[in-house]
Amino acid sequence: MSITLAIGPRVRKSPYFESARKAGLASASVYNHMYMPTSYGDPIAEYERLVTGVAMWDVGVERQVALKGPDALRLARYLTPRNLDGITIGQGKYAPICDYRGTLINDPVLLQVSDDEFWFSIADSDITLWAGGIAGALGMDVKVFEPDVSPLAVQGPKSFDVVADLCGDWVRDLKYFAFRDFELDGIPFVLARSGWSKQGGFEFYLRDGSRGDDLWARVAEAGKPYGIGPGTPNYIERVESGLVSYGADTDEATNPFEMGLGKFMDIDQPHDFVGKSALKDIRDRGVTRRFMGLMIDGAPFQGTNEHWWELTSDGAYAGYACASAYSPRAQSNIAVAMVKTDVIDSGAQVNVHTETGNRTADVVQLPII
Ligand code: THG
């Protein structure tokens, strides 16, 4: 049963909100205290467009937490376990953030935008408050604020042609997470090779919220020959690709090692950072569960799970499924799930306790596709 999302002044709108609505926005969620588009009414068409063509997404909810000033790099280093040696202007890094207990509290992309300014492009939690509190408590000489910056993603195999037509062929040579300042008709943005899909693509970090509809129109126009259409962070594709969705897949007990983010942590670096000793303990003890894929039997799922689904193995608790979908490419129901390591190691099937009955699943490595 669907319910209506109330639209009012209390929840913020992205600069693309009116354009998205005119394009047929059908449903939205709330992320970083803003409306986040989740569908234009035809999830399968949106998925096909992403994996075979090109789609444009209003992801203005990916807010930036700017650190600016002499201590900006010092603060960035203190906020993430990622080793930031060698970070340069123009090359982003995936930089998870943990609290003092080693719990994952966000998984942003970090961009150095000038000598003394960094942006954490955040997932859904209040890092401006967290970072500003830490900077103040430690007496650092740095300003922490939310700049007027709002990403618009262009994703899919044909995104390279669309964005090259708009900005030039140089965009084809951008490395993953690399970015550069650019402008179209006086619309200022940072263009980055990034985006929350594994289909390839770009993000326009619009630097002037009053130009959202203008940028949307330019991208829609340039994409017309390639069949561009509106889309959203795609539920099915992200489960196939095993991309982490902070908040959907995590809670206050989740650590980055079990989420497969250990490769982005340098616990032994000389710099201190929040959670260092807790993370060292977690690493040394080893994880007891891991973020995995599931291949689930039975009739194709319609839609997705409203809650995490409990998993059992031989009647004993085995973990939970975070996000499920029917995958057209795997031709199977699939999910991302947190699964106990003893169950993974045993190779046993698990029972998935869905809202509409039990299913059986094989546990597989991520990505599923
Ligand atoms: N783009 C921007 N900001 C964001 C997101 C984004 N903020 C919130 C959220 N998404 C952050 N989370 C992720 C998670 C995964 C990836 C990007 C952002 C990602 N991961 C690749 C992978 O897992 O294969 C590559 C990671 C790597 O090798 O460094 O792309 O989407 N602006």
Short mmCIF file of all heavy atoms in Angstrom, two decimals, residues 127-138 144:
data_model
loop_
_atom_site.label_atom_id
_atom_site.label_comp_id
_atom_site.label_asym_id
_atom_site.label_seq_id
_atom_site.Cartn_x
_atom_site.Cartn_y
_atom_site.Cartn_z
N ILE A 127 27.35 14.98 9.35
CA ILE A 127 28.80 15.12 9.52
C ILE A 127 29.21 16.60 9.70
O ILE A 127 30.26 16.87 10.29
CB ILE A 127 29.53 14.44 8.35
CG1 ILE A 127 29.23 12.93 8.36
CG2 ILE A 127 31.04 14.68 8.41
CD1 ILE A 127 29.62 12.19 9.64
N THR A 128 28.41 17.53 9.25
CA THR A 128 28.77 18.94 9.52
C THR A 128 28.81 19.18 11.03
O THR A 128 29.74 19.81 11.55
CB THR A 128 27.77 19.91 8.85
OG1 THR A 128 27.65 19.58 7.47
CG2 THR A 128 28.26 21.35 8.96
N LEU A 129 27.83 18.65 11.74
CA LEU A 129 27.80 18.80 13.20
C LEU A 129 28.98 18.06 13.84
O LEU A 129 29.64 18.58 14.74
CB LEU A 129 26.49 18.24 13.76
CG LEU A 129 25.20 18.91 13.28
CD1 LEU A 129 23.98 18.22 13.89
CD2 LEU A 129 25.21 20.39 13.64
N TRP A 130 29.21 16.84 13.39
CA TRP A 130 30.29 16.00 13.94
C TRP A 130 31.65 16.68 13.72
O TRP A 130 32.42 16.86 14.67
CB TRP A 130 30.23 14.65 13.23
CG TRP A 130 31.29 13.66 13.55
CD1 TRP A 130 32.38 13.36 12.77
CD2 TRP A 130 31.39 12.80 14.68
NE1 TRP A 130 33.13 12.37 13.35
CE2 TRP A 130 32.54 12.00 14.53
CE3 TRP A 130 30.60 12.61 15.82
CZ2 TRP A 130 32.94 11.05 15.46
CZ3 TRP A 130 30.98 11.66 16.75
CH2 TRP A 130 32.15 10.89 16.57
N ALA A 131 31.92 17.08 12.48
CA ALA A 131 33.22 17.65 12.14
C ALA A 131 33.41 19.01 12.82
O ALA A 131 34.50 19.33 13.32
CB ALA A 131 33.36 17.80 10.62
N GLY A 132 32.36 19.83 12.85
CA GLY A 132 32.46 21.14 13.49
C GLY A 132 32.70 20.99 14.99
O GLY A 132 33.48 21.75 15.59
N GLY A 133 32.06 20.01 15.61
CA GLY A 133 32.25 19.77 17.04
C GLY A 133 33.68 19.35 17.35
O GLY A 133 34.30 19.85 18.30
N ILE A 134 34.21 18.46 16.54
CA ILE A 134 35.58 17.97 16.77
C ILE A 134 36.58 19.09 16.53
O ILE A 134 37.51 19.30 17.33
CB ILE A 134 35.86 16.76 15.85
CG1 ILE A 134 35.06 15.56 16.40
CG2 ILE A 134 37.35 16.46 15.78
CD1 ILE A 134 35.06 14.36 15.49
N ALA A 135 36.39 19.87 15.46
CA ALA A 135 37.31 20.98 15.16
C ALA A 135 37.32 21.98 16.31
O ALA A 135 38.38 22.47 16.74
CB ALA A 135 36.91 21.66 13.86
N GLY A 136 36.13 22.28 16.83
CA GLY A 136 36.04 23.24 17.93
C GLY A 136 36.68 22.72 19.20
O GLY A 136 37.46 23.41 19.85
N ALA A 137 36.39 21.46 19.52
CA ALA A 137 36.92 20.88 20.75
C ALA A 137 38.45 20.80 20.72
O ALA A 137 39.10 20.93 21.75
CB ALA A 137 36.32 19.49 20.98
N LEU A 138 39.01 20.58 19.54
CA LEU A 138 40.47 20.46 19.42
C LEU A 138 41.13 21.81 19.11
O LEU A 138 42.34 21.87 18.90
CB LEU A 138 40.84 19.44 18.35
CG LEU A 138 40.39 18.00 18.63
CD1 LEU A 138 40.87 17.05 17.53
CD2 LEU A 138 40.89 17.52 19.99
N VAL A 144 34.15 24.86 9.31
CA VAL A 144 33.39 23.70 8.83
C VAL A 144 32.00 24.18 8.47
O VAL A 144 31.31 24.75 9.31
CB VAL A 144 33.32 22.61 9.92
CG1 VAL A 144 32.48 21.43 9.43
CG2 VAL A 144 34.71 22.14 10.33
#
